[in-house]
Amino acid sequence: MPHATTAPAPRHRPRWWTELPLLALVYAAYSGGRLLVRGDVSTAVDHGLAILRLEKALYLNAEHPLNRLFTAHPSVGIPSDFAYASLHYVVTPAVLIWMFRRHSALYRRARTWLMTSTMLGLIGFTLMPTCPPRLLDAKHGFVDTMAQYSSYGWWGTEASAPRGMGGMTNQYAAMPSLHVGWALWCGILLWRHAKHPLLRAAGIAYPLVTTFIVMGTANHYFLDAVAGCAVMGVGALLARPVTRLAGRVRSALLVRFGKPGTAVESPDVSAGCETSAGERIPGQRTSSAEPSDAAADGPPRRADASDRAGRAPDGDPATAAR
């Protein structure tokens, strides 16, 4: 019987010249959004103190001992400051490029997961501006290690921004901690898709070390880190529907601008022919069937009365006429 199937058009490998502008646009929107959502300082301080009180009530206040360790030992504090100021700018793009080159079939989902979670973090900064521990009054017992060791690095006294560029960052965007969130994203991808044992071990260590660093440098509370992990979890759940939505929007745009996506139909090799049992190639059925076809069609039909009257036993019409 005739057969024809419709298959979806094959998905093409992502192109770097389309990915780079997209990632740059999202990051620019994120960075600009952080600057635009600066909340009232007193409100941010109230939120920070509320988090600190909640942690003390839950016996989760690990920031003080870690901060004292980083402050008392430069051999710990200085490398941690460098890690805080640079790793999320290096490791996150490196893992993204690695996924693009080595796991292109999974790249779009991973990229969408990262971007969706980042935008969710921006919503958190908007709804809950939070003063980090290092900007609280000194009576609360925190030391800004970035300021203490600023002479060793490129940063000044305003977060991890280069000297003189502190105004380009929002120092009250502490909840959630995307340092921890991005590190968790990197760690999960390395653990799931890397083959070398050292890379898989790094996937476990990186988010854990980042969590200790953000608390020891007094840049985040422990609950900021928890919120960063939660944001990445929600982003992972939304990655599939967001990817589908982006695909529909892309298809609609292609149709709108005259480049509709087309389905690929497999050719109808039968060309209207029927295939009998045992045939590899369909054969055209005609009115003058071959003897083998007649045998395949069933037992011979018995001659009726009109046939017996008009034909002789030997099948010669002229004999019957005599």
Side-chain angles (χ1 to χ4, degrees):
M1 59 182 298
H3 60 283
T5 57
T6 301
R11 298 187 65 182
H12 298 290
R13 180 189 178 98
R15 306 298 184 184
W16 66 266
W17 56 83
T18 60
E19 288 298 315
L20 280 182
L22 175 63
L23 295 173
L25 178 63
V26 171
Y27 186 76
Y30 164 73
S31 300
R34 279 178 53 128
L35 295 177
L36 293 175
V37 300
R38 290 178 177 176
D40 180 68
V41 174
S42 61
T43 302
V45 170
D46 291 341
H47 289 159
L49 293 176
I51 292 174
L52 192 59
R53 287 192 296 268
L54 177 60
E55 287 187 356
K56 289 181 178 179
L58 298 175
Y59 299 98
L60 297 175
N61 182 23
E63 295 91 337
H64 278 109
L66 284 173
N67 185 239
R68 287 192 292 268
L69 174 67
F70 284 28
T71 302
H73 299 280
S75 60
V76 178
I78 294 174
S80 297
D81 285 343
F82 273 99
Y84 180 83
S86 61
L87 283 188
H88 66 293
Y89 291 119
V90 176
V91 178
T92 308
V95 172
L96 197 63
I97 294 171
W98 174 69
M99 290 295 295
F100 179 84
R101 294 179 59 86
R102 298 295 183 87
H103 304 280
S104 58
L106 304 171
Y107 166 78
R108 282 193 176 93
R109 183 74 58 80
R111 175 254 285 158
T112 304
W113 174 18
L114 178 65
M115 293 193 305
T116 303
S117 302
T118 300
M119 292 299 104
L120 291 175
L122 183 59
I123 295 174
F125 303 152
T126 305
L127 298 179
M128 191 173 177
T130 302
C131 179
R134 63 184 180 81
L135 294 182
L136 293 175
D137 191 274
K139 66 182 180 182
H140 296 289
F142 290 104
V143 175
D144 185 355
T145 63
M146 301 292 293
Q148 179 181 357
Y149 301 122
S150 62
S151 60
Y152 292 91
W154 59 85
W155 57 86
T157 58
E158 297 176 306
S160 58
R163 290 182 181 87
M165 299 181 64
M168 299 293 291
T169 185
N170 180 4
Q171 299 192 75
Y172 298 101
M175 169 65 78
S177 170
L178 288 186
H179 271 76
V180 175
W182 290 346
L184 179 64
W185 177 85
C186 294
I188 290 175
L189 292 178
L190 289 173
W191 171 255
R192 293 188 61 182
H193 305 299
K195 296 181 180 179
H196 199 285
L198 290 179
L199 286 178
R200 300 190 70 191
I204 297 175
Y206 181 48
L208 294 177
V209 171
T210 300
T211 302
F212 285 113
I213 287 175
V214 300
M215 291 192 296
T217 57
N219 280 285
H220 289 281
Y221 306 94
F222 175 72
L223 289 182
D224 293 346
V226 172
C229 295
V231 162
M232 298 309 296
V234 175
L237 294 176
L238 294 177
R240 184 186 296 271
V242 170
T243 301
R244 290 176 179 173
L245 177 61
R248 293 193 185 100
V249 171
R250 180 176 180 273
S251 299
L253 291 176
L254 289 175
V255 172
R256 172 67 178 81
F257 291 101
K259 295 181 180 180
T262 57
V264 179
E265 291 194 0
S266 62
D268 184 3
V269 296
S270 63
C273 302
E274 296 182 358
T275 305
S276 301
E279 286 185 334
R280 292 181 178 272
I281 301 176
Q284 182 71 40
R285 296 293 179 265
T286 62
S287 58
S288 58
E290 295 293 333
S292 59
D293 294 333
D297 289 339
R301 182 174 57 87
R302 295 182 61 186
D304 55 19
S306 60
D307 291 336
R308 289 195 298 271
R311 292 180 180 271
D314 60 358
D316 187 357
T319 306
R322 292 196 298 270

